[in-house]
Amino acid sequence: MKEQNKIPTSKVQRATRFVRTGAKIGGNYAKYYAKKALQQNVSRESLHEDNASDIYSELSELKGSALKVLQMMSMDKNLLPTAYTDRFAMAQYSAPPLSYPLVVKTFQKYFGKGPTELYDTFSRSAKNAASIGQVHQATLDGKKLAVKIQYPGVANSITSDLKIVKPFAIRLFNINERDLEHYLQEVEGKLVEETEYDLEVRRGMEISEQCGHIENIDFPTYYPELSSERIITMDWLDGEHMKEFIATNPSQEVRNQIGQALWDFYNHQVHYIKQVHADPHPGNFLFRQDGTMGVIDFGCVKEIPDDFYQQYFSLIRQDILLKPDQLDDIFHDLAFINSNDSEAEKKVFKAIFVEMIQLLGRPFHYDEFDFADDSYFTQIFALSERVSNTEEVRRSRTARGPRDALYINRTYFGLYNLLNALQAKIITRKPTWLEAKKLSA
């Protein structure tokens, strides 16, 4: 894999790279329409592939929030054409890594020593590289370690990068500007937290301890004395990423066992400790043939306010949907509808959100759920497509829903996608207050 010797860190350098990316996209569109005008046999998919390749190759060298937004978009199979999701998924663990001299420079800054002075061995080349940092393998006192080093300048470029990403997302992916602005405010806060590696170490230790009882899932031990604001040292966990794991054709028993571990992990975090690993993309998990898995990244953690939890998750209860007055109160409190909406708008948005709740909450209403059922995901994608094309949604004067819901929705959508990729059938364990509301399969 080609290494980078430097990262553009100034606002001018990074803005110039975005402009260059925009120019390439414009050129791709010009070539596409020129071929169409000449009646050549050219597909829209070829345009998507050219754009996806150019966007990734340019922005992957910027690292940070630019690459993180691509990574997040790759998780949504309905937001983007396949060419984009396939290419952007590389940002999860296969981005171009930094060269070794830049790694040494980071160690010198935070420890006053190079990595070979701190560890018995240290790999010169990165084993994995993602949006915020890259991972090297090391050993110390007989232990195999993973050492994550943050890219230089990432923390300082978040705000300016997101301002530049915004018009790209609106134009290229047809996202409602108000919804995107609402979304990016929450994203910015979480990206800032992801650059605070000392916070990640603390959260990783806390959640690992509180979820240590869950079967078939394990966590690395963290080493605070070998960690800093921009470097994390933890145990090396063996395993394969999702794509490679699925290619081995694991048995249904193994798929179900790992899927159950994933469900139980998220169920416990959300409903019992009220903070959750909110970045469930395949690059953050390692899967094994014995039906166990490891969690290797706690950079993105969403703390769930109690008042939000009580209202938001009450919507899972089917009896709530049968109580219009109570449902209206919750929808107003959660900003799904607001007092400035016309009666026609209220009717449309209430219908949309009721349908969403019924569909996305479906797994909670059964003792078991088969995530291999692709028709379920087809319904989700079809609903999303229909909603995005609804006139009232497109011209909405305000963003809908609480900011706290953004990462919770993303978490569950990511979890569902992981379980679908595994083709897993699981027991849908749930909080005790919801047990009485479940349905029989």
Side-chain angles (χ1 to χ4, degrees):
M1 188 183 299
K2 182 181 178 181
E3 294 184 340
Q4 284 183 241
N5 294 315
K6 62 180 180 179
I7 295 177
T9 55
S10 74
K11 291 182 180 179
V12 173
Q13 288 175 322
R14 297 178 76 82
T16 299
R17 184 62 64 91
F18 276 105
V19 170
R20 191 166 79 186
T21 305
K24 287 189 175 183
I25 293 171
N28 291 337
Y29 273 100
K31 288 187 291 184
Y32 171 77
Y33 286 115
K35 290 178 180 179
K36 292 284 285 186
L38 295 173
Q39 297 184 334
Q40 293 184 13
N41 185 20
V42 56
S43 69
R44 187 82 176 180
E45 188 62 27
S46 66
L47 171 63
H48 293 323
E49 289 175 357
D50 288 343
N51 282 342
S53 178
D54 286 336
I55 292 170
Y56 181 78
S57 64
E58 290 290 338
L59 300 192
S60 64
E61 295 189 1
L62 290 180
K63 312 299 187 188
S65 52
L67 192 55
K68 189 71 176 181
V69 169
L70 298 186
Q71 174 186 298
M72 293 165 69
M73 288 178 172
S74 75
M75 293 170 60
D76 191 332
K77 298 177 183 177
N78 191 53
L79 179 61
L80 305 176
T82 302
Y84 292 102
T85 57
D86 288 348
R87 178 70 63 166
F88 294 174
M90 294 174 64
Q92 295 168 1
Y93 50 89
S94 299
L98 289 187
S99 64
Y100 185 65
L102 284 180
V103 171
V104 173
K105 186 176 180 180
T106 301
F107 271 92
Q108 291 285 357
K109 179 177 180 179
Y110 290 99
F111 288 106
K113 299 178 180 179
T116 55
E117 298 175 85
L118 292 170
Y119 309 97
D120 293 337
T121 64
F122 186 88
S123 64
R124 291 181 62 92
S125 299
K127 299 298 182 180
N128 290 301
S131 53
I132 303 296
Q134 64 190 45
V135 176
H136 291 250
Q137 190 177 88
T139 61
L140 183 64
D141 299 331
K143 293 181 178 179
K144 188 159 64 170
L145 305 173
V147 184
K148 183 161 71 170
I149 301 101
Q150 188 174 129
Y151 303 127
V154 164
N156 297 328
S157 64
I158 291 172
T159 300
S160 57
D161 274 5
L162 290 180
K163 288 180 180 178
I164 302 174
V165 165
K166 179 181 172 181
F168 269 76
I170 292 171
R171 179 181 178 185
L172 192 60
F173 308 127
N174 195 29
I175 299 174
N176 180 288
E177 183 173 0
R178 294 179 182 84
D179 285 340
L180 183 63
E181 181 64 34
H182 193 57
Y183 182 71
L184 290 182
Q185 290 173 9
E186 180 79 350
V187 169
E188 182 176 346
K190 280 284 160 277
L191 285 174
V192 169
E193 288 184 3
E194 285 195 60
T195 64
E196 298 170 355
Y197 277 5
D198 45 357
L199 176 62
E200 179 176 345
V201 169
R202 178 173 63 79
R203 283 174 163 171
M205 294 171 68
E206 289 176 354
I207 296 178
S208 298
E209 181 179 359
Q210 295 182 72
C211 294
H213 65 285
I214 298 173
E215 294 183 353
N216 300 315
I217 189 168
D218 58 36
F219 310 93
T221 297
Y222 291 85
Y223 300 94
E225 70 278 8
L226 290 171
S227 302
S228 70
E229 297 173 56
R230 302 292 183 254
I231 297 172
I232 296 177
T233 301
M234 54 188 164
D235 286 340
W236 181 275
L237 297 185
D238 291 315
E240 297 172 298
H241 291 296
M242 179 68 80
K243 184 177 181 180
E244 292 76 17
F245 177 72
I246 294 300
T248 66
N249 194 29
S251 69
Q252 189 62 50
E253 180 182 3
V254 166
R255 292 168 184 263
N256 292 348
Q257 186 171 306
I258 292 176
Q260 192 66 57
L262 276 167
W263 180 273
D264 292 345
F265 176 50
Y266 279 95
N267 177 64
H268 188 73
Q269 290 177 95
V270 170
H271 300 293
Y272 296 98
I273 64 178
K274 304 291 175 59
Q275 60 175 349
V276 60
H277 178 290
D279 198 10
H281 70 71
N284 283 340
F285 303 96
L286 295 169
F287 305 100
R288 310 183 186 106
Q289 295 299 324
D290 63 357
T292 64
M293 57 169 289
V295 183
I296 56 175
D297 192 307
F298 284 94
C300 181
V301 171
K302 173 63 181 176
E303 296 182 357
I304 307 174
D306 190 61
D307 57 344
F308 164 76
Y309 174 86
Q310 296 296 336
Q311 288 190 308
Y312 195 72
F313 284 95
S314 70
L315 294 171
I316 299 174
R317 292 171 42 198
Q318 287 193 317
D319 61 315
I320 288 291
L321 301 180
L322 302 176
K323 300 175 180 178
D325 292 341
Q326 191 172 349
L327 186 62
D328 281 354
D329 289 341
I330 294 173
F331 276 5
H332 273 102
D333 289 344
L334 293 175
F336 289 134
I337 56 178
N338 62 69
S339 57
N340 293 324
D341 289 334
S342 68
E343 289 304 314
E345 287 174 323
K346 289 178 182 179
K347 183 178 180 180
V348 168
F349 283 108
K350 284 167 63 175
I352 286 173
F353 287 116
V354 166
E355 188 174 359
M356 283 182 174
I357 292 163
Q358 290 175 323
L359 185 57
L360 298 177
R362 186 181 298 172
F364 290 89
H365 298 142
Y366 296 90
D367 291 326
E368 294 184 341
F369 196 83
D370 189 357
F371 283 92
D373 181 7
D374 289 333
S375 66
Y376 173 63
F377 291 86
T378 299
Q379 291 177 59
I380 293 176
F381 300 148
L383 174 59
S384 178
E385 177 72 16
R386 178 157 48 85
V387 169
S388 66
N389 289 319
T390 299
E391 184 63 26
E392 288 82 358
V393 173
R394 295 177 66 86
R395 57 181 172 82
S396 176
R397 297 183 298 272
T398 182
R400 303 283 166 171
R403 282 173 54 179
D404 283 315
L406 296 173
Y407 272 85
I408 298 302
N409 292 344
R410 177 176 179 243
T411 294
Y412 274 101
F413 192 72
L415 173 62
Y416 287 8
N417 277 331
L418 288 171
L419 294 172
N420 179 243
L422 285 167
Q423 299 284 283
K425 183 177 183 179
I426 64 163
I427 299 170
T428 52
R429 298 188 179 102
K430 51 188 71 70
T432 53
W433 58 262
L434 188 60
E435 281 291 337
K437 306 298 179 183
K438 65 189 177 186
L439 304 176
S440 58

